[in-house]
Amino acid sequence: SYFCAMKILMIGDRHDTHGSLARALRARGHAVDLIWDEAEIASRRNGPFARIRFLYDVTQRFPELAGYDVVQLFGPRYLPFAYGKIKYIFGELKKRNRYMGLTVSEPGYMYASAAVKSGLFRFSMYRTGSEKSALARMAPHAEYELLSNDLRDYTHWLLAETEGVMALAPEYAIPLRESVGKSLFGVPWPVEPAHSLPWRDGRIYMRLSGNHNDDVAYGRTSLRLAAEKIAAASGGRCVMEERGDAGSPSVLLDSMTSYSPGIEALQAMASGTIAVSGAQPEYYECIGAGENERPVICGVPDGEQAVARELAGLIADADAFASRSEQSRHFIEKYHSPAIAARRFENYWKEKIG
């Protein structure tokens, strides 16, 4: 049964996050519009005066972007404008609509502050305990950019002006609990079911996620070295392939510095890929998974050598490998379906709207 159907505007998208959530909400009877997705933003941010023209187009659309129950913005830094201009856009939308929501799905000021200053995390891309990570040592500007005074002030303003903050992973929720309070709600990253399976020619294919620019941040360099050793010792049964190769990999090497799997890992798991990624107790608790539902190979706290041993054991046992692959697929269907995300989103705003 539905309460009164909502009219929702979603601004921005990456990895089909808002897209899959929008489709699931429409299936539940809500009217949902999605604007300025990833492809449109990419086409509007480059070239002479491109952002000026885009900003003008945004302001011209204000009259039609009105009368929504909820306006959900994809992340504090999604729109390709200076913080002052985003504040202006946000303020104009707030005047014209009932509630403003924010989706948090990537590191920002609050995450960096929690990792570097507050010590809220056991480990992160910037610290392991009190020790600087490889990223912090090699590229200190990465954390400095996220800890700038301008981003701090803008982030605090945005959180104060937002009636609902939707966190898609525990590492993004943890830093917000104290400052946001009851306006914070967690939603599992929505992942559409997949129909292709990662079996191509009987061999096991391993691949890194993301791109080479963030390998240090997510600890993939050590994962790659461990995987290459496994491939070299497999007698051709196991192959380390390059990013961009066709088909789903059998194993995706995703992260050694996160509390939860990234969206690329989750989407790969939907097709039966085995993920090496973050999977801390906070993640399983957040989605409600049981003690016996742990399909992700997690390298923290035991390190890449423990990952290598577990992978080698699975590769040596075809039945165990197939079983873990099937567990991965069922895990996504059970805990990350867009329908679950839509219900949590709906429940939060149902209570807020009344």
Side-chain angles (χ1 to χ4, degrees):
S1 63
Y2 304 127
F3 69 105
C4 184
M6 294 185 291
K7 184 180 180 184
I8 302 163
L9 173 64
M10 293 190 167
I11 297 177
D13 196 12
R14 288 197 181 103
H15 304 292
D16 196 38
T17 302
H18 272 180
S20 59
L21 179 58
R23 290 188 292 273
L25 286 166
R26 291 184 192 118
R28 295 182 65 80
H30 304 289
V32 187
D33 294 324
L34 172 59
I35 62 173
W36 305 328
D37 63 12
E38 194 168 12
E40 182 172 358
I41 291 292
S43 69
R44 301 296 299 270
R45 70 188 310 159
N46 297 318
F49 308 109
R51 298 189 192 203
I52 295 175
R53 288 196 296 269
F54 185 25
L55 180 61
Y56 174 78
D57 292 343
V58 169
T59 61
Q60 294 302 296
R61 292 191 66 178
F62 282 155
E64 68 183 85
L65 302 179
Y68 289 92
D69 295 303
V70 179
V71 175
Q72 190 78 20
L73 175 64
F74 194 90
R77 299 182 297 153
Y78 179 80
L79 293 174
F81 306 122
Y83 301 141
K85 292 182 174 61
I86 301 176
K87 288 171 68 174
Y88 166 70
I89 293 168
F90 192 93
E92 290 298 313
L93 291 171
K94 188 169 185 176
K95 292 177 187 176
R96 294 169 167 80
N97 299 283
R98 195 169 181 183
Y99 290 106
M100 299 297 292
L102 179 68
T103 299
V104 182
S105 65
E106 62 184 10
Y109 171 79
M110 300 300 288
Y111 171 88
S113 180
V116 175
K117 297 180 177 181
S118 305
L120 288 180
F121 298 125
R122 295 183 297 281
F123 63 92
S124 69
M125 65 175 64
Y126 301 117
R127 297 290 187 275
T128 299
S130 60
E131 298 293 321
K132 287 188 175 183
S133 67
L135 176 66
R137 294 192 303 270
M138 295 175 62
H141 63 277
E143 65 183 61
Y144 297 156
E145 289 174 3
L146 290 181
L147 292 171
S148 71
N149 290 340
D150 286 346
L151 182 54
R152 176 199 63 198
D153 295 344
Y154 163 68
T155 300
H156 287 317
W157 177 89
L158 188 62
L159 293 174
E161 294 291 315
T162 301
E163 286 94 357
V165 181
M166 180 174 76
L168 296 178
E171 52 261 62
Y172 307 131
I174 290 169
L176 292 168
R177 287 172 180 164
E178 185 174 342
S179 59
V180 176
K182 292 183 179 180
S183 294
L184 175 67
F185 65 105
V187 167
W189 219 311
V191 178
E192 297 284 357
H195 303 290
S196 62
L197 296 176
W199 307 108
R200 288 178 252 170
D201 55 11
R203 293 192 290 179
I204 292 172
Y205 289 87
M206 298 185 291
R207 186 189 304 169
L208 296 179
S209 68
N211 61 73
H212 71 276
N213 292 328
D214 57 20
D215 280 351
V216 174
Y218 291 101
R220 297 189 195 115
T221 303
S222 59
L223 285 177
R224 183 185 189 104
L225 292 173
E228 287 174 343
K229 290 179 181 178
I230 292 173
S234 71
R237 183 165 181 265
C238 186
V239 177
M240 187 68 197
E241 62 180 359
E242 296 301 318
R243 293 181 174 103
D245 286 355
S248 298
S250 314
V251 176
L252 187 71
L253 308 170
D254 181 53
S255 175
M256 291 281 285
T257 62
S258 61
Y259 273 33
S260 57
I263 182 58
E264 189 175 343
L266 294 170
Q267 290 173 337
M269 288 171 65
S271 66
T273 294
I274 297 173
V276 178
S277 190
Q280 293 297 295
E282 290 89 343
Y283 163 65
Y284 289 117
E285 180 182 350
C286 180
I287 63 173
E291 289 290 332
N292 296 323
E293 298 173 297
R294 300 288 190 269
V296 180
I297 298 176
C298 182
V300 178
D302 298 323
E304 62 271 10
Q305 295 307 314
V307 170
R309 286 193 297 271
E310 187 168 358
L311 267 179
L314 286 172
I315 290 168
D317 187 336
D319 290 340
F321 195 96
S323 176
R324 181 69 71 94
S325 171
E326 188 67 9
Q327 288 171 17
S328 296
R329 191 171 63 83
H330 282 300
F331 182 85
I332 297 301
E333 291 177 354
K334 183 174 181 179
Y335 293 110
H336 281 276
S337 76
I340 294 173
R343 283 197 298 271
R344 290 202 185 180
F345 183 94
E346 179 188 273
N347 288 341
Y348 175 82
W349 289 110
K350 175 182 179 180
E351 183 175 349
K352 178 72 69 173
I353 293 171

